[in-house]
């Protein structure tokens, strides 16, 4: 049988998917074990126990100074920034993406400026944002919005243009106005695709958030990582990184489920 | 009166003449079948009639008035593919025309109006043989069912002209025969002029009251490239011939659409097919 025709069954799928994870963990354990055997005070690859202790300390014990559970307050602060920013960029992208993709006038007006602006490296704007908006949450949200919106807009506009022209003609022969077409034909077809695009922007959004938190913040997951870096506290950094990864993964999963639940027609239409 | 007149219509894309001097009058309630080799401009003809493309020269009149260069609710269309909205259920696909008509801002009907539109849509679905599939999405329908749905959807706005671009090209012969019965019935029971593009000559003669063939002169392509450069643009454009009407048959025996009002149009399509043979109006 050809390799490309071999499809793993459920048990095998699970085992195969688990394999790389197990390999990574195993490699870490071996490396960490070797270094700790040489020097029990080694900070670079802490043991699982050390990380568990640090996690307990950060997540389950209140901070003596503020009385907060640091990991949770960090999470809350980061997530609220991230979600606010993503909500803003999603909304902007939806509106402008549909405008640019659907209306030739809007396309010629905004298309070039969006194409150029999306080439600006967002991190290069961070100093400007800090200067203009101060060091608070505003600058961080703005950075994430700038970093994700432009790509989302272009993506949406392209997907709107991908709608077969037959459908737009058909709607017009049913008497639809531009507004009605946007509302009842384009928008509902874009929502599930928007979810796909936003899923791809979750990674960049975290990147911008952590970069901004690293430079100026007093809480947040990125802030904490860069703070404890001074003490080489790998036992804190690694659990935090795993936690951030898990959060990002759960957001991705959530969006995928939302797509499947809210747009039952989409899976069929995508393959058609 | 929805007679369609093409008055010396040309269509060119740049130097490429697609259609040349199309001069034709289509009587109201006729069923015109357009045939011709691939690439000769049948779809282009239909798109001009649809208002999606404007003629480069000449004009198109519908019911005496120049055609608006924009698709509208007076002209329904069924394409070979992508004719129904994938994100709407079968029932919603049919209703949406009425919703566009009556709900300017939301495009969505509520309450009693919605129920009325729903009843109307169900009747149409019943007529095209899709009763029982109301809640399915198009992706779950076969090709033939999707085309039936597209027909029901187009008919819901009661267009005066129905344009079909190889609507049944992808269907297998059995299903095609069924849908022929349906389209014939629809034409018979509604005040409808049908223009249908097809590659299937037997389909053209079976359904049409008139068959029109488009063709472009043979000797062209290489020659043109050669002379086009030396003759200069204007002359080249003139020598370069587009397709034009080469045959125009009235189909015999004559089919005549039954007078309207005899059957309860659109609501109750009884399965008796009105052909030239058993149509009382024809004899
Ligand atoms: N937008 C366009 N720009 C340039 N050329 C076009 C355009 N649309 C159609 N054409 C050209 O016009 C000619 C006729 O195309 P058309 O689609 O009308 O053919 P057709 O008769 O429908 O063919 P088929 O039977 O294959 O569907 C083709 O040579 C095509 O390349
Ligand atoms: Mg064609």
């Amino acid at each position: 049988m050809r390799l490309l025709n071999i499809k793993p069954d459920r048990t095998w799928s699970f085992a195969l998917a688990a394999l790389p994870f197990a390999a990574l963990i195993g490699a870490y354990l071996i490396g960490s074990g070797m270094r700790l055997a040489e020097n029990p005070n080694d900070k670079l690859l802490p043991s699982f126990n050390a990380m568990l202790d640090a996690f307990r300390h950060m997540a389950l014990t209140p901070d003596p100074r503020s009385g907060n559970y640091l990991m949770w307050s960090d999470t809350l602060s980061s997530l609220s920034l991230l979600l606010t920013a993503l909500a803003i960029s999603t909304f902007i992208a939806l509106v402008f993406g549909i405008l640019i993709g659907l209306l030739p006038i809007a396309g010629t007006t905004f298309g070039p400026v969006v194409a150029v602006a999306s080439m600006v490296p967002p991190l290069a704007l961070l100093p400007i944002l800090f200067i203009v908006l101060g060091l608070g949450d505003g600058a961080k949200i703005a950075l994430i919005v700038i970093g994700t919106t432009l790509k989302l807009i272009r993506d949406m506009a392209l997907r709107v243009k991908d709608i077969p022209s037959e459908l737009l003609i058909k709607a017009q022969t049913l008497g639809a106005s531009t507004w009605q077409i946007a509302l009842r034909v384009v928008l509902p077809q874009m929502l599930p695709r928007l979810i796909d695009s936003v899923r791809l922007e979750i990674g960049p959004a975290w990147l911008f958030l952590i970069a901004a938190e690293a430079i100026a913040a007093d809480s947040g997951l990125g802030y904490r990582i860069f703070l404890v870096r001074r003490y080489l506290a790998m036992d804190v950094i690694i659990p935090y990184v795993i936690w951030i990864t898990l959060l990002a993964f759960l957001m991705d999963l959530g969006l995928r489920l939302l797509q499947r639940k809210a747009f039952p027609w989409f899976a069929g239409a995508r393959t058609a | 009166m929805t007679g369609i007149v093409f008055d010396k219509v040309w269509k060119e894309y740049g130097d490429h003449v697609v259609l040349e001097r199309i001069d034709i009058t289509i009587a109201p309630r006729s069923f015109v079948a357009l045939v011709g080799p691939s690439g000769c401009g049948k779809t282009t003809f239909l798109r001009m009639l649809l208002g999606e493309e404007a003629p480069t020269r000449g004009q198109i009149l519908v019911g005496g008035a120049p055609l608006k260069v924009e698709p509208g609710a007076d002209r329904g269309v069924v394409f070979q593919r992508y004719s129904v909205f994938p994100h709407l259920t079968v029932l919603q696909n049919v209703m949406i025309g009425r919703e566009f008509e009556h709900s300017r801002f939301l495009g969505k009907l509520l309450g009693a109006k919605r129920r009325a539109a729903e009843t109307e849509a169900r009747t149409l679905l019943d007529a095209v043989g899709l009763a029982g599939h109301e809640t399915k999405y198009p992706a779950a329908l076969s090709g033939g069912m999707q085309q039936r749905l597209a027909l029901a959807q187009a008919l819901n706005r009661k267009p005066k002209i129905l344009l079909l671009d190889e609507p049944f090209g992808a269907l297998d012969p059995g299903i095609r025969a069924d849908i022929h019965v349906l389209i014939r019935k629809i034409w018979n029971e509604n005040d409808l002029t049908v223009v249908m593009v097809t590659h299937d000559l037997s389909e053209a003669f079976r359904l049409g009251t008139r068959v029109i063939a488009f063709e472009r002169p043979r000797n062209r392509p290489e020659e043109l490239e050669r002379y086009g450069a030396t003759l200069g643009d204007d002359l080249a454009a003139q020598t370069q011939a587009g397709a034009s009407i080469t045959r125009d048959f009235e189909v015999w025996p004559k089919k005549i659409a039954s007078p309207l009002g005899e059957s309860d149009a659109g609501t109750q399509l009884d399965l008796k097919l009105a052909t030239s043979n058993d149509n009382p109006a024809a004899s």
Side-chain angles (χ1 to χ4, degrees):
Chain A
M1 201 182 199
R2 285 183 191 79
L3 201 53
L4 64 87
N5 287 326
I6 299 175
K7 294 186 186 110
D9 65 10
R10 282 191 63 167
T11 337
W12 267 104
S13 299
F14 187 77
L16 286 174
L19 195 66
F21 288 103
L24 277 174
I25 295 173
Y28 182 89
L29 282 178
I30 293 170
S32 149
M34 271 161 42
R35 286 187 72 102
L36 289 172
E38 231 166 78
N39 169 15
N41 290 325
D42 179 61
K43 292 200 127 187
L44 221 55
L45 300 179
S47 71
F48 275 160
N49 274 336
M51 287 195 272
L52 209 62
D53 277 345
F55 171 76
R56 262 193 219 112
H57 177 68
M58 299 304 292
L60 308 175
T61 342
D63 178 47
R65 246 175 307 159
S66 60
N68 287 335
Y69 295 87
L70 285 180
M71 191 157 163
W72 303 128
S73 60
D74 285 341
T75 305
L76 196 69
S77 139
S78 287
L79 273 187
S80 64
L81 290 181
L82 189 84
L83 294 180
T84 310
L86 275 179
I88 294 173
S89 37
T90 304
F91 179 75
I92 298 177
L94 195 59
V95 172
F96 278 87
I98 290 180
L99 277 176
I100 292 173
L102 188 61
L103 305 179
I105 300 179
T108 38
T109 312
F110 299 116
V113 73
V114 169
V116 170
S118 68
M119 294 300 153
V120 177
L123 278 178
L125 295 179
L126 189 55
I128 302 178
L129 293 175
F130 278 145
I131 292 168
V132 174
L133 297 173
L135 297 178
D137 290 347
K140 288 173 210 127
I141 291 178
L143 177 70
I144 302 174
V145 170
I146 292 171
T148 54
T149 308
L150 293 160
K151 246 187 296 167
L152 280 176
I153 291 179
R154 295 185 83 189
D155 204 36
M156 272 300 101
L158 286 177
R159 287 165 193 252
V160 171
K161 287 190 183 132
D162 278 345
I163 295 179
S165 66
E166 283 92 337
L167 287 186
L168 301 182
I169 301 281
K170 180 79 184 209
Q172 294 177 60
T173 65
L174 298 176
S177 64
T178 303
W179 166 249
Q180 287 174 324
I181 290 176
L183 195 66
R184 296 262 359 239
V185 179
V186 179
L187 177 66
Q189 296 207 47
M190 281 307 115
L191 289 176
R193 294 176 170 91
L194 180 68
I195 289 181
D196 275 342
S197 312
V198 170
R199 280 175 61 194
L200 293 177
E201 287 302 310
I202 290 177
W206 275 104
L207 166 74
F208 296 127
L209 176 69
I210 290 171
E213 282 179 344
I215 294 169
D218 44 25
S219 68
L221 296 165
Y223 161 75
R224 192 69 54 198
I225 294 178
F226 277 83
L227 184 72
V228 300
R229 179 191 65 97
R230 294 180 204 155
Y231 319 114
L232 287 183
M234 288 291 270
D235 54 344
V236 175
I237 296 177
I238 294 175
Y240 259 65
V241 171
I242 294 174
W243 174 235
I244 292 172
T245 311
L246 186 69
L247 286 175
F249 177 78
L250 289 177
M251 285 165 71
D252 185 73
L253 186 71
L255 286 175
R256 214 166 64 204
L257 291 179
L258 174 70
Q259 186 187 53
R260 199 178 314 155
K261 277 268 163 328
F263 308 102
W265 57 271
F266 188 58
R270 176 144 52 181
T271 52
Chain B
M1 155 96 182
T2 39
I4 303 165
V5 179
F6 274 65
D7 181 14
K8 299 190 201 67
V9 167
W10 294 63
K11 181 69 196 180
E12 295 149 57
Y13 289 107
D15 283 350
H16 177 50
V17 183
V18 177
L19 290 172
E20 181 175 310
R21 233 189 118 86
I22 303 294
D23 234 342
I24 153 178
T25 302
I26 298 173
R29 292 209 75 191
S30 44
F31 193 130
V32 176
L34 289 181
V35 298
S38 189
C40 71
K42 305 181 296 294
T43 298
T44 306
F45 180 88
L46 221 56
R47 296 211 316 199
M48 287 195 292
L49 196 43
L50 198 52
E52 190 190 347
E53 291 275 349
T56 12
R57 281 181 252 172
Q59 61 170 346
I60 305 171
L61 305 170
V62 174
L67 186 84
K68 261 209 331 198
V69 188
E70 188 177 56
D74 52 336
R75 282 154 289 154
V77 67
V78 176
F79 299 106
Q80 185 169 7
R81 294 188 61 196
Y82 304 122
S83 264
V84 293
F85 301 115
H87 63 290
L88 298 176
T89 63
V90 167
L91 186 67
Q92 290 167 339
N93 256 295
V94 179
M95 276 169 61
I96 195 167
R98 198 60 68 221
E99 296 188 297
F100 285 146
E101 186 180 1
H102 292 306
S103 172
R104 296 249 314 271
F105 294 107
L106 287 179
K108 207 145 177 82
L109 293 174
L110 304 164
K113 278 184 172 175
R114 175 177 193 81
R115 281 192 295 278
E118 216 175 286
T119 315
E120 181 188 39
R122 280 178 199 281
T123 319
L124 261 172
L125 283 172
D126 211 18
V128 300
L130 282 179
H133 299 284
E134 287 86 352
T135 56
K136 287 186 183 164
Y137 287 102
L141 300 181
S142 70
M145 288 155 88
Q146 287 190 22
Q147 293 307 72
R148 286 166 184 270
L149 175 58
L151 276 171
Q153 184 185 50
L155 290 173
N156 195 30
R157 282 303 300 262
K158 306 218 181 321
K160 295 284 177 227
I161 300 171
L162 183 61
L163 305 170
L164 311 171
D165 194 353
E166 300 182 40
F168 318 129
L171 306 183
D172 78 58
I175 294 183
R176 214 191 277 204
D178 285 351
I179 216 164
H180 283 170
V181 174
L182 174 65
I183 188 76
R184 193 66 155 285
K185 199 193 313 281
I186 288 169
W187 170 66
N188 242 303
E189 296 175 356
N190 296 283
D191 180 9
L192 205 57
T193 307
V194 182
V195 180
M196 176 179 76
V197 171
T198 176
H199 272 132
D200 179 349
L201 273 180
S202 77
E203 179 174 271
F205 281 94
R206 186 148 0 115
L207 292 179
T209 56
R210 182 172 173 190
V211 176
I212 294 175
F214 282 11
E215 219 166 337
R216 60 171 63 238
R218 285 281 146 67
N219 53 347
R220 291 293 153 179
E222 315 77 19
E223 229 177 299
L224 276 177
E225 303 274 35
R226 201 141 46 85
Y227 294 144
T230 50
L231 288 177
D233 279 348
D234 255 354
L235 268 178
Q238 275 169 25
T239 42
Q240 184 174 345
S244 51
I245 296 171
T246 53
R247 304 272 163 76
D248 189 346
F249 304 92
E250 286 289 330
V251 175
W252 188 260
K254 231 178 171 125
K255 309 181 193 85
I256 301 176
S258 51
L260 293 171
E262 277 198 353
S263 65
D264 199 0
T267 54
Q268 175 223 345
L269 297 169
D270 57 333
L271 267 166
K272 202 152 37 90
L273 170 61
T275 60
S276 53
N277 304 326
D278 57 12
N279 183 351
S283 47

